[in-house]
Amino acid sequence: MTATASKALPHGRIHNFSAGPGAMPLPVLEQIKEELLHLPGARASVLEISHRSKDFDRILSETEADLRRLYGIGPDFKVAFLQGGASQQFAMVPMNFSVGKKAGYILTGAWGKKAMKEAKTVVDTQVLWTGEEKNFSSVPKPGAVNIPAGLSYIHFTSNETIQGVQFQGKPPVGEAPLVCDMSSDFLSRPVDVSRYGMIYAGAQKNIGPAGLTVALIREDMLARIPEKMSAIFKYSTHTEADSRYNTPPVFGIYAAGLVFKWMLETYGSLDKLEKANREKSALIYNAIETSGGFYKAHAEADCRSYMNVTWTLADSGLEAEFLKEAAANDLSGLEGHRSVGGMRASLYNAVPRESAEALAGFMTDFKNRKG
Ligand code: PMP
């Protein structure tokens, strides 16, 4: 025994801090298990029925309706359930919305940088702000981004999963529509969707299984799509076909629908969910802050992510031991991304508070013994 043993989770499951695919709500997993042989009504699983069947019609429409309810999405927005991951949107966004024009990028971490790199292959781009000189540990202060006129859109990443920096409060404003990669904080707090031209997110953090990508697209953006382009890469192809131009990721949509229902039943609203998320991360930041310098947070205090908490140990020689002991205490998925080093605890919506408590307890115990 190396530290205070954490209380095991049901079914002997680990405390899962994986950055993605990440933890799913246990009641959702249980329902999937239950329904995998026999979806009510269908007498087969969702994996075995047509995406154009009545049973799938119901799943798709309920999933969309619950998502609209959670975010308060207006009728001027289309919801698309896509494939290709957030990475495919890095390419599709400029192809659809910026041909012949320049797109602006705010870079607060590795994913924003990757999105711009991809956009550069098809359109002109401009860096509007970058946090790279400070190893992506900050976001621009309000008013700090100089936005020129004439941009096709302004792209930013609301939460940088690798660095653990997150925009707090209102998003940046400009004359051009905002396009946001919300992959790692989608549905983690209320968002005024009407401020955006488009929001997209890979599912494997807060939505459900990998393989599904959700996009919210303001209708007027669809008018910009060039005529001469492969149908499969046009957002309008998917919105016009109700996400069924071709076979959609049926299992992902089904599971996302269950996750949305779980959110509505457990929290009712996104402000309650945000509060729970902030409380979980506060437990970890508090363990860092009270460690007397034993642990050091990567992100600056005003933009610390409540989804991905990143930190290093003052004595990096102890990091391997930290991870080994953490694993022995059922605390899993804590190794930081190689570009930042140190540790990362991903505290997505489905990570229970008791997992954050167990990690915070372990961190303090480890520091007391090794510090
Ligand atoms: N953007 C962000 C913010 C991410 O966290 C990730 C995945 N970790 C991606 C994009 C890439 O997502 P995908 O693997 O779905 O393409």
Side-chain angles (χ1 to χ4, degrees):
M1 178 54 221
T2 44
T4 321
S6 54
K7 220 169 73 203
L9 288 174
H11 306 287
R13 283 161 57 80
I14 48 163
H15 292 288
N16 187 355
F17 302 102
S18 169
M24 297 257 303
L26 184 57
V28 168
L29 295 176
E30 281 168 342
Q31 190 171 343
I32 291 173
K33 186 175 161 206
E34 183 76 14
E35 293 181 350
L36 204 54
L37 293 180
H38 203 294
L39 187 70
R43 300 175 66 195
S45 77
V46 71
L47 300 168
E48 304 164 294
I49 56 171
S50 166
H51 56 293
R52 305 195 193 275
S53 65
K54 280 211 160 25
D55 290 301
F56 195 73
D57 281 349
R58 178 186 56 77
I59 289 171
L60 187 62
S61 63
E62 280 184 24
T63 302
E64 177 173 339
D66 287 340
L67 175 57
R68 285 185 178 275
R69 209 168 124 205
L70 280 160
Y71 260 150
I73 300 170
D76 53 333
F77 271 77
K78 296 284 187 198
V79 173
F81 296 104
L82 307 167
Q83 308 196 46
S87 301
Q88 187 166 309
Q89 315 320 306
F90 293 170
M92 276 174 69
V93 163
M95 284 160 79
N96 277 262
F97 304 138
S98 195
V99 169
K101 291 184 97 182
K102 191 186 269 185
Y105 281 75
I106 298 174
L107 308 182
T108 54
W111 291 110
K113 204 174 155 191
K114 221 167 163 188
M116 195 181 89
K117 188 171 172 215
E118 194 64 44
K120 258 186 169 162
T121 65
V122 275
V123 301
D124 282 344
T125 57
Q126 182 172 347
V127 176
L128 303 175
W129 189 91
T130 177
E132 192 157 17
E133 318 81 72
K134 289 206 270 170
N135 198 13
F136 291 128
S137 57
S138 58
V139 304
K141 308 274 178 252
V145 188
N146 210 348
I147 299 174
L151 294 174
S152 50
Y153 60 80
I154 299 159
H155 183 281
F156 74 108
T157 315
S158 51
N159 181 67
E160 280 285 357
T161 323
I162 291 175
Q163 283 79 11
V165 299
Q166 184 175 30
F167 277 86
Q168 308 292 331
K170 291 205 169 82
V173 214
E175 170 208 307
L178 288 176
V179 174
C180 183
D181 174 3
M182 245 181 232
S183 292
S184 51
D185 64 356
F186 195 72
L187 287 175
S188 70
R189 58 178 164 188
V191 164
D192 180 358
V193 172
S194 68
R195 288 174 156 270
Y196 294 79
M198 175 174 172
I199 292 171
Y200 64 90
Q204 64 274 18
K205 293 139 199 322
N206 269 341
I207 302 173
L212 165 69
T213 308
V214 177
L216 316 178
I217 310 169
R218 211 173 60 212
E219 265 176 346
D220 63 286
M221 299 291 286
L222 297 168
R224 303 174 169 213
I225 300 171
E227 190 53 43
K228 243 179 155 316
M229 197 175 138
S230 305
I232 192 82
F233 294 128
K234 287 182 179 179
Y235 285 120
S236 48
T237 301
H238 301 282
T239 56
E240 282 163 19
D242 203 14
S243 299
R244 287 183 286 191
Y245 168 71
N246 60 336
T247 315
V250 289
F251 181 71
I253 294 171
Y254 157 75
L258 298 183
V259 171
F260 299 160
K261 285 198 193 306
W262 169 80
M263 284 179 191
L264 286 163
E265 279 158 22
T266 312
Y267 295 96
S269 66
L270 291 181
D271 52 352
K272 293 217 179 80
L273 188 48
E274 176 179 6
K275 187 166 174 281
N277 284 329
R278 289 194 183 275
E279 283 173 8
K280 284 186 290 182
S281 70
L283 292 165
I284 312 303
Y285 286 120
N286 187 50
I288 295 171
E289 290 306 319
T290 57
S291 72
F294 185 82
Y295 302 115
K296 186 180 176 303
H298 172 76
E300 289 177 8
D302 63 353
C303 60
R304 284 177 182 172
S305 170
Y306 57 76
M307 291 273 99
N308 311 97
V309 180
T310 50
W311 75 97
T312 51
L313 272 67
D315 177 359
S316 60
L318 284 173
E319 288 181 354
E321 206 176 332
F322 179 96
L323 289 169
K324 196 162 161 242
E325 285 198 19
N329 281 275
D330 292 338
L331 303 163
S332 166
L334 290 168
E335 188 167 358
H337 190 273
R338 58 199 176 279
S339 60
V340 176
M343 310 296 153
R344 169 172 56 173
S346 298
L347 301 167
Y348 298 127
N349 289 342
V351 173
R353 184 187 167 96
E354 55 203 291
S355 292
E357 284 168 353
L359 174 58
F362 168 76
M363 287 170 71
T364 302
D365 183 73
F366 186 84
K367 183 262 306 179
N368 288 343
R369 287 183 292 112
K370 309 281 175 181

